[in-house]
Each structure stands twice: as structure tokens, then as C-alpha cells.
Amino acid sequence: MPTNLTVRVAGEGGEGVISTGELLTTAVARTRRDVFTFRTYPAEIKGGPAMFQLRFADHPVLSVGTLLDVLVAFNEEAVELHAAELKKDGLLIYDSSVFDPEKKVPAGTALYGAPLTSIASDGVGLKKSKNMVALALLGQLFGIEIEGFKSLVEEKFGKKGDEVLQKNLRAIEEGYKWGQAHPIEKDLFVPISARKERKLIMSGNEAMSAGAIAAGCRYYAGYPITPASDILSFMEKNLPAYGGIAFQTEDEIAAISSCVGASFSGARAMTATSGPGLSLMAEVLGLASMTEIPVVIVDAQRSGPSTGMPTKTEQSDLAFAVNMGHGDAPRVVLAPSNVKDCFYGMVRAFYLAEKYQIPVVMLSDQSLSHRTQTFTRPNIENLVKPARTRASKNGSDYKRFLDTENGVSPVSFPGDEGLNHVTTGLEHDELGHPSWSPSNHQRMSAKRHRKLDFIAKEKGFTRRFGDEHATVGVICWGSTEGPTEEAINVANRNGLEVKALTVKMIHPLPDEEIRSFLVGLKHVIVPEINYTGQLCNILRAKYLFPFQPFTKCNGMPFDPNEIFDRIEEVIRRA
Ligand code: COA
């Protein structure tokens, strides 16, 4: 009996690959297994290869896996593209009414042809529902009762009208019937986890949105852009129920500008975008920095530069997020490493933004934003949500930009009696009045940057794991944590001494924790999904240690084996 399985559904954009994967994932998660997904498709609405991968287990899953146990191919091209990634004895489920893959698969592959299109067209009367027939076959393989799908199909297709819904429900039934008449001779039943608790299942984008609301975000403005658009949809749907406002602006400049305005008046505000949108936001991030107005900006990174590969993953906005804009403009850059961390990461992002009155950029990426994972339900009551330190009326001129020990000045909001002040993007003195005096710019720059020294000392922005006796280490960030942890676990189990550190705050760096991690290390590998090794370069410049970049930028997340092989090679050469 396998303890975990990796399943890929592949076909053409428009064939319902993603819906199949999403429904399967939710149904599997509801049977108390843990899930981890990855999806990739072309930027076009129809056509081009699309795929959805689900890995599930009776224990938490750290990565989307390596080789496939099951491949569902809706067309011949899907076999050509993906069959090589099947395990030696992997199972290929294909649409036998459309093609015969026999000559295109590696020897040893278990073939299971099912006439998906015929059942859907002739038996059901809706060709598009062939994906539901396939879903039913998968359901039987993984021990999911037919009822487990029916409610999900109702939720998914109910809005498309009763006829579409009924036909899809029928397709599920026909699929089950066909499967029962043609059983698959393979044990693909992953045990149900012994845990009693019901976990949450969310995508990274959903978790970031929910985390923001839990952190008290009540103003959202954004412009749709892949892969961040789901955040706008989530906020439009859910924020009003919490007394908040979600606003689709005409572009990204307007989005961040309106967030800065809302935050100026006291609201916790955020926007979300992807690379090209982040580029447009650079000027106003500088304004937020100069005026010390907190704002949280989610950047769901995708392959760049320019419009690049909008639906493919990459971690290549890091250097820009750290440096974007002109002048010395302090900001915080955070990077959540899994879906649970997307939730708590947003709470921490608002914590830092509000406490230090500073813009915070939250770097997700396509694979994480669109990844679905199960995680333990958060205890909302225990979240730390500081508000901005408010000024009190003191009878004299209110110094909105009072130069304090940690650089944070008590704030007033429009309407606070006796606390009127000027706020401007021009350099200003403690009162907020424009000032060009050389000593003032020096002093106020130091005040704004002083906050970073205190932020760097905040706890909880690193995670250390692996063998503490190691002389070889890995520093990872964002979505590379999962595959890194899996690689480290395998390495440690095989007697290879290696440890790892996830850096969740990229700017300012959690200096104490990084220095402590480096003690005793001779080699440190930095895996990143970008071409130039952006975190590696920052670490090298700061710590003068020969960090070793390990980069790829093919639009795909790391496979744990890739990181394991690199670790093994470095240890062998050491
Ligand atoms: N019965 C009825 N409708 C069905 C169905 C079924 N059995 N199975 C799927 N569908 C519908 C889906 O609900 C969806 O409809 P919607 O567009 O109204 O939501 C549609 O068919 C597509 O199916 P889905 O499973 O979601 O996707 P897919 O695997 O066919 O792939 C995409 C299509 C996702 C690749 C494409 O729609 C897309 O979004 N491309 C990316 C666009 C983008 O982000 N570009 C970047 C711009 S910068």
C-alpha cells in the first residue's frame, strides 16, 4: 500500500484539466489525507498544454514530488509531454475513444484505456464532461465515495445552469459504473490519516487573503494580473462581510495610491500584483516609505522580465523588491514558504507594517499562489495584531515625524483633534513641513532607516532544520523550502550531514539567525528559481561568505531530487 501518490492530469487548455485537478484535490483532502498541488498552463484561455499535479499522503506533504504514479492524458500530446515522468510501473489512464498511446510510453507502463469522450458524448450528451468521467475513475482508485464528488460538482458547475450540472453529475455516475465494470489491477489506495482534526484546504492566494483579513486588513485595491488575480476575487467576495472595501482600480498605480490614501486615514490596507504591476508601483512605494504610511503589497512572482511567461513560476523579483524605486526608501520584504505560512505571513506583514509604519512587500510566486495545501486551522484569537502607536494631544505643535529611538513616530489620523499635520513626499522635518536643509535630510534618512535595525531583530522570520553537526548547509526562501526540506530529510536518512535555513524576511535580513546558522559551515548552497541567484548575491555581499548559487528558471518549481543531487555532489567534493 503506497503512503503517498503523485497524480498528474494533462491535456489542452479548455479541456477541463484544472477543474479535474481541483475537484480531485478537495475530494482527497476531505478523506483526511494531506495534499500538495502544482498547476501550469499557457497564458491563452484556450489551447496549449495544461497540467495539474496532486501529491497526497497520510502525512503532511512537502513538495509536489518527483516521478508520477498516475498520469491521466486527455490527448496524445499529453502522453508525449509527460509519459517520460511516469514511474517505471506507473499507470497511464488515457482516452481510448480518441487515441492509442501504446507506442509512446516507456516499457513497463501500466495502460488503462477508458472511452472518456464516448461516455461523455454518447452516454451523457456533454462532450466537455469527459473530465468528470476521468475524475470518477480516479475517485474509485483512491477510495473516494461517489457522494464525495457530487456536492463538489454542484458547487463547481451549479452556476452554469441546471442542464450542465445534471449532465456532469451523470458523467460522474457513468464514470463510476464504467470503473466498476473495468477494475484497475493496481493498489493505489493511500491510507487515511489517523488524525482526528479536520484541516483547512486553501491555495496560497486564498491563505494570503484570509490572513490579511484576520490581520485586520479592511481596505483592498488591486488590478487583475496573473497569478495574483484570485486575491482580488477573494477580497471582493469576502472583505465586505468584515466591514471592509475591495476596489478594482484602473491600474496598479491607482491601486497602491488608493491603499496609501486609505492607510493614511487609519485603515489597514493592501494590494496584490505580479512583476509588471510591481514595476508600476515603485514610485508610490517610495511615497509610502517617505511618508511612513504602512501598506502591504503582495507580489505573486511569475517569469519575467516584461510580460515574460505570465503563467509560469519564478523567484526573480527579489532584487527588485529589495531595491525598487529611487532614493533610499526603506521597506520590508517577506517571503512565505508554504500555504500555511501565506496565512501567518500576512499577519506578520501587517504586524511589521503597522508597528513600524513602513511598506511591506510579500513575495509569493506562481507555484505557491496557485498551490493548494492542507493545514491546521489557525487559532484566530491568538494572532498578534499591533495597531499603529497613536499620538495624544499635547497642547504644543504635533510632531508627526518625531525622531525617536526606534524611528517610529506616534501617528494621528485625519480628524484627530489638535493633531493636524502636513504629510508630503517632499523631504520634511519632524513637523512634516518641507525642508531641504542638509542636516535635516541626513537626520530624517537615518530616522527612517533606523526602523530596519529593529525589524531585523524581530523573531520568527527564519526556520532551521536538518543535521546540526553538518558542515554543509542550504539557505532557501519562499516556495523552495518544501523541496529543500524533503531533500534534507532524504540526505539525513542516508547519512549525509546537511542542515538548512529558510529565510522568511529578505529585507532586512534576520542577521543574528543567519550568522548563527553559518557557524561551522564550510559550504552553503542557495537554491532559487531565477537566473542570477538573487538571494545568493545579497548574502554574498553582506556576509562575504562563498555561498554557492543553485538556480534554475524553466518555469517549474524545484524537484527535491535536484536539490538532493546538488547536496550529494557538494558533500562528495568537500
Ligand atoms: N462542464 C462544464 N464546464 C466545464 C467542465 C465541465 N465538465 N470542465 C471544465 N469546465 C469549464 C470550467 O468551469 C472553466 O469555465 P470558466 O472559464 O467559466 O471558469 C472552463 O471550462 C475551463 O476549464 P478549467 O478546468 O478551469 O481549465 P482548463 O484545464 O480547461 O484550462 C485555462 C483553461 C485555465 C488554461 C485557461 O482558462 C486560462 O485561464 N488560461 C490562463 C489565462 C491567463 O492567466 N493568462 C495570463 C494573462 S496575463
Side-chain angles (χ1 to χ4, degrees), residues 450-470:
R450 202 175 307 130
K451 298 175 189 180
L452 296 179
D453 300 338
F454 288 81
I455 294 169
K457 293 195 177 81
E458 291 277 354
K459 295 295 166 210
F461 291 99
T462 54
R463 181 173 163 249
R464 206 159 147 161
F465 48 95
D467 185 342
E468 277 300 328
H469 306 295

Side-chain angles (χ1 to χ4, degrees), residues 14-19 42-45 128 131 157 160 168 226:
E15 279 191 305
V17 169
I18 304 301
S19 302
E44 290 73 31
I45 297 298
K128 191 141 198 178
N131 59 346
F157 298 122
K160 290 187 185 267
N168 275 295
T226 301

Side-chain angles (χ1 to χ4, degrees), residues 477-515:
W477 69 279
S479 65
T480 56
E481 183 192 60
T484 299
E485 188 172 359
E486 199 165 319
I488 297 273
N489 289 345
V490 176
N492 289 167
R493 275 203 302 274
N494 284 292
L496 299 177
E497 292 181 351
V498 56
K499 66 178 179 180
L501 184 79
T502 311
V503 179
K504 299 181 185 204
M505 183 156 63
I506 309 291
H507 186 81
L509 285 168
D511 188 50
E512 212 178 296
E513 287 86 345
I514 294 177
R515 286 188 192 280

Side-chain angles (χ1 to χ4, degrees), residues 205 208 220 225-229 231 252 270-279 281 285 296-303 314-322 324 333-336 346 360-369 477 534:
N205 277 344
M208 281 189 287
Y220 179 89
I225 183 167
T226 301
S229 302
I231 298 179
E252 288 86 349
M270 77 173 267
T271 182
T273 188
S274 189
L278 191 68
S279 296
M281 291 181 180
L285 181 130
V296 174
I297 304 150
V298 172
D299 174 32
Q301 300 167 93
R302 63 191 212 182
S303 300
E314 208 159 272
Q315 296 179 299
S316 53
D317 294 348
L318 178 141
F320 181 62
V322 169
M324 67 195 259
V333 180
L334 303 181
M346 284 306 282
V360 175
V361 181
M362 181 82 168
L363 286 178
S364 167
D365 63 56
Q366 182 271 339
S367 73
L368 178 54
S369 276
W477 69 279
Q534 298 188 5

Side-chain angles (χ1 to χ4, degrees), residues 17 76 114 158 174 195 236 423 570:
V17 169
E76 207 161 356
E174 292 299 321
R195 66 176 156 85
E236 280 174 346
T423 293
V570 169

